[in-house]
Amino acid sequence: MSIVHVVAVITAKPGLRSQILDAFQANVPAVHAEDGCIEYVATVDADDVGPLQSRFGDDSFVVVEKWASLDALKAHAASPHMKAYAARTRDLIAERRVHVLTPA
């Protein structure tokens, strides 16, 4: 399998998104250093887009990722820093949906 794209939609418990994003940003350097990481960034709804956009909402953010291979993504998911991040944020998250995609 070639490049893998990931879109992860994270919904925080009400009012806790900034706490999760702080933990996410602290973890970014370790993720960027991983073998096979091409892109890993948290994104939020853009302002002033109007009817063109369907908003995720104030408690949600979307992680946009690109990995060199499925094996690299699997190694990322099993890494110690991701396990630590999951433990730090577990009680702050209301819902997490992860979509793993390949080029059409």
Side-chain angles (χ1 to χ4, degrees), residues 41 64 103:
V41 63
V64 178

Side-chain angles (χ1 to χ4, degrees), residues 5-51:
H5 300 265
V6 177
V7 175
V9 181
I10 312 299
T11 302
K13 291 179 180 175
L16 299 179
R17 180 176 80 176
S18 65
Q19 290 181 27
I20 300 172
L21 284 172
D22 288 346
F24 180 93
Q25 294 302 340
N27 200 37
V28 166
V31 175
H32 283 173
E34 290 180 50
D35 186 39
C37 180
I38 299 168
E39 181 178 11
Y40 186 79
V41 63
T43 62
V44 296
D45 291 318
D47 290 330
D48 301 323
V49 177

Side-chain angles (χ1 to χ4, degrees), residues 15-92:
L16 299 179
R17 180 176 80 176
S18 65
Q19 290 181 27
I20 300 172
L21 284 172
D22 288 346
F24 180 93
Q25 294 302 340
N27 200 37
V28 166
V31 175
H32 283 173
E34 290 180 50
D35 186 39
C37 180
I38 299 168
E39 181 178 11
Y40 186 79
V41 63
T43 62
V44 296
D45 291 318
D47 290 330
D48 301 323
V49 177
L52 176 67
Q53 166 173 265
S54 296
R55 296 180 64 84
F56 284 100
D58 292 341
D59 290 320
S60 296
F61 66 99
V62 178
V63 181
V64 178
E65 307 176 36
K66 188 185 289 186
W67 295 90
S69 67
L70 184 56
D71 287 340
L73 173 60
K74 288 179 180 179
H76 160 71
S79 68
H81 55 270
M82 288 308 296
K83 289 180 182 179
Y85 167 76
R88 278 193 306 276
T89 60
R90 183 173 293 119
D91 294 336
L92 307 174

